[in-house]
Amino acid sequence: MRIYFIRHGIAEAFASDDKRRGLTFEGRMRLEDTFSKFAKEFKKEGITDYRIFCSTYQRSMETAEILSEYLGEPYSIKQYLGGCTTKELMYRLELSRKKCYILISHEPYISNWIFELTGEDVIVSRGSIHKIDI
């Protein structure tokens, strides 16, 4: 199984509710650049059996919308991507039975999942993409 972990793009500093913080203009522009390059490389790999999942947070959904446009694949919103254990994450992915997942989520969840799955301690900046094979 291959997993691409993507942290949402740069978001607004303030909102009435953290879950409602959207992407900034700069965040959108940086994601456009990153995802145009990512989509070309991803398509070259010829992966067709994949799903895009994002958390319920506004900035994550907006990030998924941009990526979805570049890949031509719809995304699904998953409550558990707002924070769950690695064990729960893997259980839910294994239920879906796909070979590849693109997961758009948040910190510190992404770096924790990567560490627990690979033993690697990585820095997960906004808009970054981290690929792991399990």
Side-chain angles (χ1 to χ4, degrees):
M1 176 187 313
R2 176 171 289 171
I3 304 173
Y4 291 90
F5 290 101
I6 298 177
R7 184 175 176 191
H8 62 79
I10 300 169
E12 301 167 319
F14 301 100
S16 59
D17 178 359
D18 183 50
K19 291 182 178 183
R20 299 196 187 287
R21 289 192 302 124
L23 296 176
T24 63
F25 178 78
E26 178 185 2
R28 287 179 177 281
M29 293 300 101
R30 286 188 181 187
L31 287 174
E32 293 276 349
D33 183 52
T34 298
F35 291 161
S36 68
K37 295 171 187 169
F38 172 74
K40 288 176 189 172
E41 292 301 314
F42 187 80
K43 289 176 181 179
K44 279 184 189 176
E45 291 187 40
I47 300 169
T48 57
D49 187 26
Y50 71 97
R51 290 291 178 265
I52 304 169
F53 295 155
C54 71
S55 80
T56 59
Y57 287 50
Q58 185 66 34
R59 56 197 178 271
S60 180
M61 292 185 289
E62 290 175 6
T63 299
E65 287 173 13
I66 296 168
L67 179 62
S68 180
E69 289 175 20
Y70 278 97
L71 293 179
E73 182 73 26
Y75 65 93
S76 299
I77 300 167
K78 302 294 182 184
Q79 181 77 34
Y80 62 86
L81 287 176
C84 69
T85 65
T86 304
K87 185 177 179 178
E88 180 183 356
L89 176 69
M90 295 310 297
Y91 172 76
R92 290 179 180 271
L93 295 181
E94 288 169 2
L95 286 178
S96 296
R97 297 184 179 183
K98 296 295 175 192
K99 293 183 179 183
C100 182
Y101 296 93
I102 302 172
L103 307 179
I104 302 168
S105 187
H106 312 271
E107 270 299 277
Y109 310 119
I110 295 173
S111 58
N112 287 338
W113 293 328
I114 292 172
F115 180 77
E116 290 186 14
L117 292 169
T118 68
E120 292 182 43
D121 193 11
V122 297
I123 295 172
V124 180
S125 55
R126 288 169 287 207
S128 63
I129 302 170
H130 303 269
K131 176 177 80 171
I132 66 168
D133 289 304
I134 300 173

